[in-house]
Amino acid sequence: EAGVTQSPTHLIKTRGQQATLRCSPISGHTSVYWYQQALGLGLQFLLWYDEGEERNRGNFPPRFSGRQFPNYSSELNVNALELEDSALYLCASSFLYPVSGANVLTFGAGSRLTVL
Amino acid sequence: AQTVTQSQPEMSVQEAETVTLSCTYDTSESNYYLFWYKQPPSRQMILVIRQEAYKQQNATENRFSVNFQKAAKSFSLKISDSQLGDTAMYFCAFMNRDDKIIFGKGTRLHILP
């Protein structure tokens, strides 16, 4: 079974440009989460999608947006890139209502965004 | 708002020793879940262990166990007989009822040969 896949692995952009990151969840998972992992800041929650809808959003400006497609894959868009957006962006997927009662996340390997 | 604090940014222990990573959290809720995730140098995050707050018994997964102190809002991870492959960044995480999972800043653990 394929895990959570993210693309691209690395992305280099300049200030003011837009970046698009993609995530394919594990087959059967309907929820997709996005996290930003900047150096020294741990994982900061960005967005949570399920069944095509945004379920929750972290404390990030509106230039961070995304969407989830009918096949449950997801896209994260970052507009008007700033230097501090340089980070590893992690995608994770899960069931919305897991049998176990605990929503265990399965993570992808991440997309490293560098803003110059 | 819920917060997760990991007070040890970095730790080093000798192989085969036991190490404990600390985690405290703040919440006003009574029912929640706690997790420890591991991020090896290859970057892929994987679940180490999880604990339901309504369960008093501490979770155990092979060499990994937790000390869950609900009143103190403490959730430490103990790694017994540590191995070189345990070298990684370890994140403590909290899940509240709206399913948003909050992570601490992590503890970088080095297992020394």
Side-chain angles (χ1 to χ4, degrees):
Chain A
E1 179 185 281
V4 177
T5 57
Q6 292 188 245
S7 63
T9 305
H10 294 91
L11 187 61
I12 299 175
K13 294 285 187 177
T14 57
R15 282 173 53 186
Q17 286 189 315
Q18 179 199 36
T20 298
L21 309 176
R22 296 178 178 84
C23 172
S24 292
I26 285 177
S27 177
H29 284 184
T30 61
S31 278
V32 170
Y33 300 77
W34 287 96
Y35 287 86
Q36 181 194 65
Q37 186 178 14
L39 197 62
L41 295 179
L43 274 73
Q44 303 292 314
F45 170 73
L46 269 165
L47 290 160
W48 170 30
Y49 291 97
D50 186 83
E51 296 285 358
E53 293 188 7
E54 184 180 297
R55 293 282 181 145
N56 209 330
R57 182 183 179 85
N59 189 24
F60 280 83
R63 56 191 187 82
F64 286 84
S65 65
R67 54 180 171 167
Q68 187 179 33
F69 300 99
N71 66 354
Y72 304 118
S73 67
S74 178
E75 199 174 82
L76 174 68
N77 295 293
V78 188
N79 294 321
L81 285 166
E82 299 179 3
L83 297 177
E84 53 264 35
D85 296 334
S86 293
L88 181 67
Y89 289 84
L90 292 172
C91 170
S93 73
S94 75
F95 294 106
L96 179 60
Y97 298 115
V99 174
S100 66
N103 211 0
V104 175
L105 300 183
T106 302
F107 283 84
S111 292
R112 172 75 62 187
L113 173 63
T114 301
V115 183
L116 302 175
Chain B
Q2 287 87 354
T3 58
V4 177
T5 303
Q6 294 180 249
S7 60
Q8 305 147 311
E10 196 159 2
M11 299 180 70
S12 295
V13 296
Q14 295 293 136
E15 193 177 7
E17 289 185 348
T18 294
V19 59
T20 299
L21 281 59
S22 65
C23 173
T24 58
Y25 57 94
D26 188 24
T27 183
S28 57
E29 300 186 20
S30 59
N31 195 20
Y32 48 86
Y33 299 93
L34 295 161
F35 308 86
W36 279 98
Y37 279 87
K38 168 184 176 181
Q39 188 179 38
S42 63
R43 299 189 306 184
Q44 195 105 20
M45 291 264 284
I46 55 175
L47 177 71
V48 175
I49 198 166
R50 64 186 178 192
Q51 174 81 42
E52 289 88 345
Y54 61 86
K55 289 186 178 179
Q56 293 187 339
Q57 187 174 9
N58 289 325
T60 299
E61 288 287 342
N62 300 313
R63 298 182 296 107
F64 298 88
S65 61
V66 299
N67 184 4
F68 174 47
Q69 302 290 328
K70 191 172 183 178
K73 295 180 183 176
S74 171
F75 182 61
S76 61
L77 174 69
K78 185 171 82 171
I79 305 174
S80 303
D81 186 26
S82 57
Q83 301 174 359
L84 296 178
D86 295 333
T87 292
M89 195 78 168
Y90 286 81
F91 292 96
C92 178
F94 169 96
M95 187 183 83
N96 58 15
R97 61 184 175 185
D98 67 2
D99 290 341
K100 182 174 68 177
I101 300 178
I102 301 166
F103 288 81
K105 291 187 178 182
T107 296
R108 188 174 300 280
L109 177 64
H110 303 274
I111 307 299
L112 307 173

